[in-house]
Amino acid sequence: MINELILLCLAAFAAGFIDAIVGGGGLLQTPATLLILPHYPVATLLGTTKIPSIAGTTLAAFKYSKQVKFNLKVLLACASTAFVAALLGAFLVSRIDNSVIKPIILIVLILVAIYTYFNKQFGIHQEKNHSVKKQVLMAAVFGLLIGFYDGLIGPGTGSFLILVFIALLGFDFIGASAHAKIVNISTNLAAILYFSSTGHILFQYAIPMAPDFSVR
């Protein structure tokens, strides 16, 4: 266990460092956890990574909260639907056999990494003239989609949320990042509640990993 814990903490530290600079730390954290602890169910490993993930996201959200005025209507719509969808995603991944879900996760991680690398327009502000009602509706719909993905797999969720807030809702990058962090906290929390209630979190690994992932 000591060797595994050291490797996991190193991976968490590297993921937190990457996440702080360019984002996408989960693209390192998730496969590293799957490789280091291959004898555990995938749902258990995904649940375990949610603890360090929420630690880093909460710290970042706290820092952003000092700089950004939140759009509470949009934020509530997105975070609430994302929370419910993440619960569903976590439930589903716990029901899928390891031999089925592992190749799916590998393919998804590769696709998300490619998308992140080649998305050169990421972060460019795109002004949108939406009504409040339309903004709230779009936030709720994409909260459902991205929340479900985060509960089911996870890595890349923050980037997808930022993209939605910028490209579809018209937020600037700082505002989009701040709102995305809050929504990501809600999806992580939902997954943690489900995974912990079903015994799918290895707290002996997750707790030591949390400070490493939140280093920023």
Short mmCIF file of all heavy atoms in Angstrom, two decimals, residues 34-96:
data_model
loop_
_atom_site.label_atom_id
_atom_site.label_comp_id
_atom_site.label_asym_id
_atom_site.label_seq_id
_atom_site.Cartn_x
_atom_site.Cartn_y
_atom_site.Cartn_z
N LEU A 34 -6.01 4.18 -12.51
CA LEU A 34 -6.41 2.89 -13.09
C LEU A 34 -5.21 1.96 -13.23
O LEU A 34 -5.33 0.74 -13.04
CB LEU A 34 -7.07 3.10 -14.45
CG LEU A 34 -8.43 3.80 -14.45
CD1 LEU A 34 -8.87 4.09 -15.88
CD2 LEU A 34 -9.48 2.97 -13.74
N LEU A 35 -4.05 2.51 -13.55
CA LEU A 35 -2.84 1.70 -13.72
C LEU A 35 -2.23 1.27 -12.38
O LEU A 35 -1.76 0.14 -12.24
CB LEU A 35 -1.80 2.48 -14.54
CG LEU A 35 -2.09 2.67 -16.02
CD1 LEU A 35 -1.09 3.62 -16.64
CD2 LEU A 35 -2.08 1.33 -16.75
N ILE A 36 -2.26 2.18 -11.42
CA ILE A 36 -1.63 1.89 -10.12
C ILE A 36 -2.47 0.92 -9.29
O ILE A 36 -1.92 0.10 -8.54
CB ILE A 36 -1.39 3.21 -9.35
CG1 ILE A 36 -0.37 4.08 -10.11
CG2 ILE A 36 -0.87 2.93 -7.93
CD1 ILE A 36 -0.28 5.50 -9.61
N LEU A 37 -3.79 1.00 -9.43
CA LEU A 37 -4.69 0.14 -8.65
C LEU A 37 -5.59 -0.68 -9.59
O LEU A 37 -6.81 -0.55 -9.56
CB LEU A 37 -5.55 0.99 -7.71
CG LEU A 37 -4.81 1.87 -6.70
CD1 LEU A 37 -5.79 2.77 -5.96
CD2 LEU A 37 -4.02 1.02 -5.70
N PRO A 38 -5.00 -1.54 -10.41
CA PRO A 38 -5.80 -2.25 -11.43
C PRO A 38 -6.74 -3.31 -10.86
O PRO A 38 -7.65 -3.77 -11.55
CB PRO A 38 -4.72 -2.90 -12.30
CG PRO A 38 -3.57 -3.11 -11.37
CD PRO A 38 -3.58 -1.92 -10.46
N HIS A 39 -6.53 -3.72 -9.61
CA HIS A 39 -7.32 -4.80 -9.03
C HIS A 39 -8.63 -4.33 -8.41
O HIS A 39 -9.42 -5.14 -7.94
CB HIS A 39 -6.49 -5.55 -7.97
CG HIS A 39 -5.73 -4.65 -7.05
ND1 HIS A 39 -4.65 -3.91 -7.48
CD2 HIS A 39 -5.89 -4.38 -5.72
CE1 HIS A 39 -4.17 -3.22 -6.46
NE2 HIS A 39 -4.91 -3.48 -5.39
N TYR A 40 -8.88 -3.02 -8.42
CA TYR A 40 -10.14 -2.50 -7.88
C TYR A 40 -11.14 -2.23 -9.00
O TYR A 40 -10.75 -1.96 -10.15
CB TYR A 40 -9.89 -1.20 -7.12
CG TYR A 40 -9.21 -1.38 -5.78
CD1 TYR A 40 -7.83 -1.16 -5.64
CD2 TYR A 40 -9.93 -1.77 -4.66
CE1 TYR A 40 -7.20 -1.32 -4.43
CE2 TYR A 40 -9.30 -1.92 -3.43
CZ TYR A 40 -7.94 -1.70 -3.31
OH TYR A 40 -7.32 -1.87 -2.10
N PRO A 41 -12.44 -2.25 -8.69
CA PRO A 41 -13.46 -1.89 -9.69
C PRO A 41 -13.26 -0.45 -10.18
O PRO A 41 -12.83 0.42 -9.41
CB PRO A 41 -14.78 -2.02 -8.91
CG PRO A 41 -14.48 -2.94 -7.78
CD PRO A 41 -13.05 -2.68 -7.41
N VAL A 42 -13.60 -0.21 -11.42
CA VAL A 42 -13.44 1.12 -12.01
C VAL A 42 -14.24 2.15 -11.22
O VAL A 42 -13.76 3.26 -10.97
CB VAL A 42 -13.88 1.11 -13.49
CG1 VAL A 42 -13.98 2.54 -14.02
CG2 VAL A 42 -12.89 0.31 -14.33
N ALA A 43 -15.46 1.80 -10.83
CA ALA A 43 -16.29 2.74 -10.07
C ALA A 43 -15.60 3.17 -8.78
O ALA A 43 -15.67 4.34 -8.37
CB ALA A 43 -17.65 2.12 -9.76
N THR A 44 -14.91 2.24 -8.13
CA THR A 44 -14.20 2.55 -6.90
C THR A 44 -13.05 3.52 -7.15
O THR A 44 -12.82 4.46 -6.38
CB THR A 44 -13.66 1.26 -6.26
OG1 THR A 44 -14.76 0.39 -5.97
CG2 THR A 44 -12.90 1.55 -4.97
N LEU A 45 -12.34 3.32 -8.24
CA LEU A 45 -11.22 4.20 -8.57
C LEU A 45 -11.70 5.59 -8.98
O LEU A 45 -11.11 6.60 -8.59
CB LEU A 45 -10.37 3.58 -9.68
CG LEU A 45 -9.80 2.20 -9.34
CD1 LEU A 45 -8.93 1.69 -10.49
CD2 LEU A 45 -8.98 2.25 -8.04
N LEU A 46 -12.78 5.64 -9.75
CA LEU A 46 -13.33 6.94 -10.12
C LEU A 46 -13.85 7.68 -8.90
O LEU A 46 -13.69 8.90 -8.77
CB LEU A 46 -14.46 6.75 -11.15
CG LEU A 46 -14.04 6.21 -12.52
CD1 LEU A 46 -15.27 6.06 -13.42
CD2 LEU A 46 -13.01 7.12 -13.18
N GLY A 47 -14.49 6.94 -7.99
CA GLY A 47 -14.97 7.55 -6.76
C GLY A 47 -13.83 8.09 -5.92
O GLY A 47 -13.92 9.17 -5.33
N THR A 48 -12.73 7.35 -5.88
CA THR A 48 -11.57 7.76 -5.10
C THR A 48 -10.96 9.05 -5.64
O THR A 48 -10.55 9.93 -4.87
CB THR A 48 -10.51 6.64 -5.09
OG1 THR A 48 -11.09 5.45 -4.52
CG2 THR A 48 -9.28 7.02 -4.30
N THR A 49 -10.91 9.20 -6.95
CA THR A 49 -10.32 10.42 -7.54
C THR A 49 -11.18 11.65 -7.32
O THR A 49 -10.69 12.78 -7.49
CB THR A 49 -10.08 10.24 -9.05
OG1 THR A 49 -11.33 10.04 -9.72
CG2 THR A 49 -9.15 9.07 -9.33
N LYS A 50 -12.44 11.46 -6.96
CA LYS A 50 -13.31 12.61 -6.75
C LYS A 50 -12.92 13.41 -5.51
O LYS A 50 -13.19 14.62 -5.44
CB LYS A 50 -14.77 12.16 -6.63
CG LYS A 50 -15.38 11.58 -7.90
CD LYS A 50 -15.38 12.59 -9.03
CE LYS A 50 -16.01 12.02 -10.29
NZ LYS A 50 -15.95 12.98 -11.42
N ILE A 51 -12.29 12.76 -4.53
CA ILE A 51 -11.89 13.48 -3.32
C ILE A 51 -10.79 14.49 -3.62
O ILE A 51 -10.94 15.69 -3.31
CB ILE A 51 -11.45 12.49 -2.22
CG1 ILE A 51 -12.60 11.54 -1.84
CG2 ILE A 51 -10.93 13.25 -1.00
CD1 ILE A 51 -13.76 12.20 -1.18
N PRO A 52 -9.68 14.10 -4.23
CA PRO A 52 -8.68 15.11 -4.59
C PRO A 52 -9.20 16.12 -5.60
O PRO A 52 -8.82 17.29 -5.58
CB PRO A 52 -7.51 14.29 -5.16
CG PRO A 52 -8.08 12.97 -5.50
CD PRO A 52 -9.20 12.73 -4.53
N SER A 53 -10.08 15.67 -6.48
CA SER A 53 -10.63 16.57 -7.49
C SER A 53 -11.44 17.70 -6.86
O SER A 53 -11.28 18.87 -7.21
CB SER A 53 -11.50 15.79 -8.48
OG SER A 53 -12.03 16.66 -9.46
N ILE A 54 -12.29 17.35 -5.90
CA ILE A 54 -13.12 18.39 -5.28
C ILE A 54 -12.27 19.31 -4.40
O ILE A 54 -12.59 20.49 -4.24
CB ILE A 54 -14.28 17.75 -4.47
CG1 ILE A 54 -15.38 18.81 -4.23
CG2 ILE A 54 -13.80 17.18 -3.14
CD1 ILE A 54 -16.64 18.25 -3.61
N ALA A 55 -11.17 18.78 -3.86
CA ALA A 55 -10.28 19.62 -3.05
C ALA A 55 -9.67 20.73 -3.92
O ALA A 55 -9.68 21.91 -3.56
CB ALA A 55 -9.18 18.77 -2.43
N GLY A 56 -9.14 20.34 -5.08
CA GLY A 56 -8.53 21.31 -5.98
C GLY A 56 -9.54 22.28 -6.55
O GLY A 56 -9.29 23.49 -6.64
N THR A 57 -10.72 21.77 -6.92
CA THR A 57 -11.75 22.61 -7.51
C THR A 57 -12.29 23.62 -6.51
O THR A 57 -12.53 24.78 -6.85
CB THR A 57 -12.91 21.74 -8.04
OG1 THR A 57 -12.40 20.78 -8.97
CG2 THR A 57 -13.95 22.59 -8.74
N THR A 58 -12.46 23.19 -5.27
CA THR A 58 -12.97 24.09 -4.23
C THR A 58 -11.99 25.21 -3.95
O THR A 58 -12.39 26.39 -3.79
CB THR A 58 -13.27 23.31 -2.93
OG1 THR A 58 -14.23 22.28 -3.22
CG2 THR A 58 -13.82 24.22 -1.86
N LEU A 59 -10.72 24.88 -3.89
CA LEU A 59 -9.71 25.91 -3.66
C LEU A 59 -9.69 26.93 -4.79
O LEU A 59 -9.64 28.15 -4.56
CB LEU A 59 -8.33 25.26 -3.52
CG LEU A 59 -7.16 26.21 -3.29
CD1 LEU A 59 -7.36 27.01 -2.01
CD2 LEU A 59 -5.84 25.44 -3.23
N ALA A 60 -9.77 26.44 -6.02
CA ALA A 60 -9.78 27.34 -7.18
C ALA A 60 -11.03 28.20 -7.18
O ALA A 60 -10.98 29.41 -7.47
CB ALA A 60 -9.70 26.52 -8.46
N ALA A 61 -12.18 27.61 -6.85
CA ALA A 61 -13.43 28.36 -6.82
C ALA A 61 -13.38 29.47 -5.77
O ALA A 61 -13.89 30.58 -5.99
CB ALA A 61 -14.59 27.42 -6.52
N PHE A 62 -12.77 29.18 -4.64
CA PHE A 62 -12.64 30.18 -3.58
C PHE A 62 -11.83 31.38 -4.07
O PHE A 62 -12.17 32.53 -3.81
CB PHE A 62 -11.98 29.56 -2.34
CG PHE A 62 -11.70 30.54 -1.24
CD1 PHE A 62 -12.73 31.05 -0.47
CD2 PHE A 62 -10.40 30.96 -0.99
CE1 PHE A 62 -12.47 31.98 0.54
CE2 PHE A 62 -10.14 31.87 0.01
CZ PHE A 62 -11.18 32.38 0.78
N LYS A 63 -10.74 31.10 -4.79
CA LYS A 63 -9.91 32.18 -5.32
C LYS A 63 -10.67 33.00 -6.35
O LYS A 63 -10.60 34.23 -6.38
CB LYS A 63 -8.63 31.60 -5.91
CG LYS A 63 -7.69 31.01 -4.87
CD LYS A 63 -6.43 30.45 -5.51
CE LYS A 63 -5.47 29.90 -4.47
NZ LYS A 63 -4.24 29.33 -5.06
N TYR A 64 -11.41 32.31 -7.23
CA TYR A 64 -12.18 33.01 -8.26
C TYR A 64 -13.30 33.86 -7.64
O TYR A 64 -13.66 34.92 -8.18
CB TYR A 64 -12.81 32.01 -9.22
CG TYR A 64 -11.90 31.58 -10.36
CD1 TYR A 64 -11.59 30.24 -10.55
CD2 TYR A 64 -11.38 32.51 -11.25
CE1 TYR A 64 -10.76 29.83 -11.59
CE2 TYR A 64 -10.56 32.12 -12.30
CZ TYR A 64 -10.25 30.78 -12.46
OH TYR A 64 -9.43 30.39 -13.50
N SER A 65 -13.87 33.41 -6.53
CA SER A 65 -15.00 34.11 -5.92
C SER A 65 -14.62 35.53 -5.48
O SER A 65 -15.50 36.38 -5.30
CB SER A 65 -15.52 33.32 -4.72
OG SER A 65 -14.58 33.31 -3.65
N LYS A 66 -13.33 35.78 -5.30
CA LYS A 66 -12.88 37.11 -4.90
C LYS A 66 -12.77 38.07 -6.09
O LYS A 66 -12.63 39.28 -5.91
CB LYS A 66 -11.51 37.01 -4.21
CG LYS A 66 -11.53 36.16 -2.94
CD LYS A 66 -10.13 36.06 -2.34
CE LYS A 66 -10.14 35.22 -1.07
NZ LYS A 66 -8.78 35.11 -0.45
N GLN A 67 -12.85 37.51 -7.32
CA GLN A 67 -12.65 38.33 -8.51
C GLN A 67 -13.90 38.46 -9.37
O GLN A 67 -13.99 39.36 -10.20
CB GLN A 67 -11.56 37.71 -9.39
CG GLN A 67 -10.25 37.39 -8.67
CD GLN A 67 -9.30 36.63 -9.58
OE1 GLN A 67 -9.10 37.00 -10.73
NE2 GLN A 67 -8.71 35.57 -9.07
N VAL A 68 -14.86 37.55 -9.18
CA VAL A 68 -15.97 37.44 -10.12
C VAL A 68 -17.33 37.61 -9.42
O VAL A 68 -17.52 37.12 -8.31
CB VAL A 68 -15.93 36.05 -10.81
CG1 VAL A 68 -17.16 35.84 -11.68
CG2 VAL A 68 -14.67 35.92 -11.64
N LYS A 69 -18.21 38.32 -10.09
CA LYS A 69 -19.60 38.40 -9.63
C LYS A 69 -20.39 37.31 -10.34
O LYS A 69 -20.48 37.29 -11.57
CB LYS A 69 -20.20 39.77 -9.94
CG LYS A 69 -21.62 39.91 -9.43
CD LYS A 69 -22.18 41.30 -9.72
CE LYS A 69 -23.60 41.43 -9.19
NZ LYS A 69 -24.16 42.78 -9.47
N PHE A 70 -20.96 36.39 -9.60
CA PHE A 70 -21.63 35.24 -10.19
C PHE A 70 -23.04 35.58 -10.69
O PHE A 70 -23.76 36.36 -10.07
CB PHE A 70 -21.73 34.09 -9.18
CG PHE A 70 -20.41 33.46 -8.85
CD1 PHE A 70 -19.73 33.78 -7.68
CD2 PHE A 70 -19.83 32.54 -9.72
CE1 PHE A 70 -18.51 33.20 -7.37
CE2 PHE A 70 -18.61 31.96 -9.43
CZ PHE A 70 -17.95 32.29 -8.26
N ASN A 71 -23.38 34.98 -11.83
CA ASN A 71 -24.75 35.04 -12.35
C ASN A 71 -25.51 33.91 -11.66
O ASN A 71 -25.45 32.75 -12.09
CB ASN A 71 -24.74 34.86 -13.87
CG ASN A 71 -26.12 35.03 -14.48
OD1 ASN A 71 -27.12 34.63 -13.90
ND2 ASN A 71 -26.17 35.58 -15.68
N LEU A 72 -26.22 34.23 -10.60
CA LEU A 72 -26.79 33.21 -9.74
C LEU A 72 -27.87 32.37 -10.44
O LEU A 72 -27.99 31.17 -10.19
CB LEU A 72 -27.37 33.85 -8.48
CG LEU A 72 -26.33 34.51 -7.56
CD1 LEU A 72 -27.00 35.10 -6.33
CD2 LEU A 72 -25.26 33.50 -7.15
N LYS A 73 -28.66 32.98 -11.31
CA LYS A 73 -29.72 32.23 -12.00
C LYS A 73 -29.12 31.16 -12.92
O LYS A 73 -29.54 30.01 -12.91
CB LYS A 73 -30.61 33.18 -12.80
CG LYS A 73 -31.52 34.05 -11.95
CD LYS A 73 -32.44 34.90 -12.82
CE LYS A 73 -33.38 35.73 -11.96
NZ LYS A 73 -34.28 36.57 -12.80
N VAL A 74 -28.14 31.58 -13.71
CA VAL A 74 -27.47 30.65 -14.62
C VAL A 74 -26.72 29.59 -13.83
O VAL A 74 -26.77 28.39 -14.15
CB VAL A 74 -26.52 31.40 -15.57
CG1 VAL A 74 -25.63 30.43 -16.34
CG2 VAL A 74 -27.32 32.27 -16.54
N LEU A 75 -26.03 30.02 -12.79
CA LEU A 75 -25.23 29.10 -11.99
C LEU A 75 -26.10 28.06 -11.30
O LEU A 75 -25.78 26.87 -11.31
CB LEU A 75 -24.44 29.89 -10.95
CG LEU A 75 -23.45 29.09 -10.09
CD1 LEU A 75 -22.41 28.41 -10.98
CD2 LEU A 75 -22.76 30.01 -9.09
N LEU A 76 -27.22 28.47 -10.74
CA LEU A 76 -28.12 27.54 -10.05
C LEU A 76 -28.72 26.54 -11.03
O LEU A 76 -28.81 25.35 -10.73
CB LEU A 76 -29.23 28.31 -9.34
CG LEU A 76 -30.24 27.47 -8.56
CD1 LEU A 76 -29.55 26.67 -7.47
CD2 LEU A 76 -31.34 28.35 -7.97
N ALA A 77 -29.11 27.02 -12.21
CA ALA A 77 -29.70 26.13 -13.21
C ALA A 77 -28.70 25.07 -13.66
O ALA A 77 -29.03 23.88 -13.74
CB ALA A 77 -30.17 26.95 -14.42
N CYS A 78 -27.48 25.49 -13.91
CA CYS A 78 -26.46 24.57 -14.40
C CYS A 78 -26.01 23.61 -13.29
O CYS A 78 -25.90 22.40 -13.51
CB CYS A 78 -25.26 25.36 -14.93
SG CYS A 78 -24.09 24.37 -15.87
N ALA A 79 -25.77 24.14 -12.10
CA ALA A 79 -25.26 23.31 -11.01
C ALA A 79 -26.28 22.30 -10.52
O ALA A 79 -25.94 21.15 -10.20
CB ALA A 79 -24.82 24.21 -9.85
N SER A 80 -27.56 22.68 -10.49
CA SER A 80 -28.58 21.76 -9.98
C SER A 80 -28.83 20.60 -10.93
O SER A 80 -28.92 19.44 -10.50
CB SER A 80 -29.88 22.52 -9.71
OG SER A 80 -30.35 23.17 -10.89
N THR A 81 -28.92 20.89 -12.23
CA THR A 81 -29.13 19.79 -13.19
C THR A 81 -27.88 18.93 -13.29
O THR A 81 -27.96 17.71 -13.44
CB THR A 81 -29.50 20.32 -14.58
OG1 THR A 81 -28.47 21.21 -15.05
CG2 THR A 81 -30.83 21.06 -14.55
N ALA A 82 -26.71 19.57 -13.19
CA ALA A 82 -25.45 18.81 -13.24
C ALA A 82 -25.34 17.87 -12.04
O ALA A 82 -24.85 16.74 -12.17
CB ALA A 82 -24.26 19.77 -13.27
N PHE A 83 -25.78 18.32 -10.89
CA PHE A 83 -25.74 17.49 -9.67
C PHE A 83 -26.57 16.23 -9.86
O PHE A 83 -26.10 15.11 -9.59
CB PHE A 83 -26.27 18.30 -8.49
CG PHE A 83 -26.25 17.57 -7.18
CD1 PHE A 83 -25.15 17.64 -6.34
CD2 PHE A 83 -27.34 16.80 -6.77
CE1 PHE A 83 -25.12 16.96 -5.13
CE2 PHE A 83 -27.33 16.12 -5.56
CZ PHE A 83 -26.21 16.20 -4.74
N VAL A 84 -27.79 16.39 -10.33
CA VAL A 84 -28.69 15.24 -10.53
C VAL A 84 -28.12 14.29 -11.59
O VAL A 84 -28.12 13.06 -11.41
CB VAL A 84 -30.09 15.72 -10.95
CG1 VAL A 84 -30.98 14.53 -11.30
CG2 VAL A 84 -30.72 16.53 -9.82
N ALA A 85 -27.63 14.86 -12.69
CA ALA A 85 -27.09 14.04 -13.77
C ALA A 85 -25.84 13.29 -13.33
O ALA A 85 -25.60 12.15 -13.73
CB ALA A 85 -26.79 14.90 -14.98
N ALA A 86 -25.01 13.93 -12.49
CA ALA A 86 -23.80 13.28 -12.00
C ALA A 86 -24.14 12.08 -11.12
O ALA A 86 -23.45 11.06 -11.15
CB ALA A 86 -22.93 14.27 -11.24
N LEU A 87 -25.19 12.20 -10.33
CA LEU A 87 -25.66 11.07 -9.53
C LEU A 87 -26.02 9.89 -10.44
O LEU A 87 -25.66 8.74 -10.16
CB LEU A 87 -26.89 11.46 -8.71
CG LEU A 87 -26.66 12.29 -7.44
CD1 LEU A 87 -28.01 12.70 -6.86
CD2 LEU A 87 -25.86 11.51 -6.41
N LEU A 88 -26.71 10.20 -11.53
CA LEU A 88 -27.11 9.15 -12.48
C LEU A 88 -25.89 8.53 -13.14
O LEU A 88 -25.80 7.31 -13.30
CB LEU A 88 -28.05 9.74 -13.54
CG LEU A 88 -28.55 8.78 -14.62
CD1 LEU A 88 -29.30 7.61 -13.99
CD2 LEU A 88 -29.44 9.51 -15.62
N GLY A 89 -24.92 9.37 -13.54
CA GLY A 89 -23.71 8.85 -14.16
C GLY A 89 -22.92 7.96 -13.22
O GLY A 89 -22.42 6.90 -13.62
N ALA A 90 -22.82 8.36 -11.95
CA ALA A 90 -22.10 7.56 -10.96
C ALA A 90 -22.80 6.22 -10.72
O ALA A 90 -22.16 5.18 -10.59
CB ALA A 90 -22.00 8.33 -9.65
N PHE A 91 -24.12 6.27 -10.68
CA PHE A 91 -24.90 5.04 -10.52
C PHE A 91 -24.64 4.09 -11.70
O PHE A 91 -24.42 2.90 -11.51
CB PHE A 91 -26.39 5.36 -10.43
CG PHE A 91 -27.29 4.16 -10.57
CD1 PHE A 91 -27.50 3.30 -9.51
CD2 PHE A 91 -27.91 3.89 -11.78
CE1 PHE A 91 -28.32 2.19 -9.63
CE2 PHE A 91 -28.74 2.79 -11.92
CZ PHE A 91 -28.93 1.93 -10.85
N LEU A 92 -24.66 4.65 -12.90
CA LEU A 92 -24.50 3.82 -14.09
C LEU A 92 -23.12 3.17 -14.15
O LEU A 92 -22.99 1.97 -14.45
CB LEU A 92 -24.74 4.65 -15.35
CG LEU A 92 -24.68 3.89 -16.68
CD1 LEU A 92 -25.73 2.79 -16.72
CD2 LEU A 92 -24.90 4.86 -17.84
N VAL A 93 -22.05 3.94 -13.87
CA VAL A 93 -20.70 3.38 -13.97
C VAL A 93 -20.49 2.27 -12.94
O VAL A 93 -19.71 1.34 -13.17
CB VAL A 93 -19.64 4.48 -13.83
CG1 VAL A 93 -19.47 4.93 -12.38
CG2 VAL A 93 -18.30 4.02 -14.38
N SER A 94 -21.18 2.34 -11.83
CA SER A 94 -21.04 1.30 -10.81
C SER A 94 -21.75 0.01 -11.22
O SER A 94 -21.53 -1.03 -10.61
CB SER A 94 -21.61 1.79 -9.47
OG SER A 94 -23.01 1.93 -9.53
N ARG A 95 -22.58 0.10 -12.25
CA ARG A 95 -23.32 -1.07 -12.72
C ARG A 95 -22.71 -1.72 -13.96
O ARG A 95 -23.13 -2.79 -14.40
CB ARG A 95 -24.78 -0.70 -13.04
CG ARG A 95 -25.60 -0.26 -11.82
CD ARG A 95 -25.78 -1.42 -10.85
NE ARG A 95 -26.67 -1.11 -9.76
CZ ARG A 95 -26.32 -0.55 -8.61
NH1 ARG A 95 -25.04 -0.20 -8.43
NH2 ARG A 95 -27.19 -0.33 -7.66
N ILE A 96 -21.70 -1.07 -14.55
CA ILE A 96 -21.09 -1.58 -15.77
C ILE A 96 -19.87 -2.43 -15.42
O ILE A 96 -19.06 -2.05 -14.57
CB ILE A 96 -20.67 -0.42 -16.71
CG1 ILE A 96 -21.88 0.45 -17.05
CG2 ILE A 96 -20.04 -0.97 -17.99
CD1 ILE A 96 -21.54 1.66 -17.88
#
